[in-house]
Amino acid sequence: MGEKEAYQSCIAASHLADTGFSYTLSLINGKYKMTILYTLMCFGVVRFNEMKKYIGAISYKTLSATLKELEADQLVHREEYPQIPPKVEYSLTERGKSLIPILDQMCDWGENNRL
């Protein structure tokens, strides 16, 4: 079975909403989720304020909420250190790291298809 036929059978076997494609999108869809995942892929362990600096135009509230969603989806690990001032670090989980080839391919595609 060719690549095109595999896609068609994946979609034909169920409703589009029930496909792996749709599930993957449900995890990474959002204005900043992909950017956060890509930042963690590039820099490894990142503190909250560093993440804010890397991303730029994101509010603290939105960054916090998005990180919580990614953590709930088990894509991001949050490590909190009991010290003053508080220290929190974020990194990709093994599940999150499994998205690295997809993120790399998206980056390559964007570089090769920029208009």
Side-chain angles (χ1 to χ4, degrees), residues 24-45:
T24 304
L25 276 183
S26 75
L27 296 179
I28 62 174
N29 195 22
K31 187 170 182 178
Y32 296 104
K33 284 185 178 181
M34 295 285 289
T35 304
I36 290 169
L37 292 170
Y38 192 76
T39 300
L40 291 171
M41 181 186 85
C42 291
F43 295 103
V45 177

Side-chain angles (χ1 to χ4, degrees), residues 4-19:
K4 183 177 179 182
E5 290 83 14
Y7 293 138
Q8 289 173 339
S9 73
C10 177
I11 292 171
S14 63
H15 300 290
L16 185 58
D18 298 331
T19 63

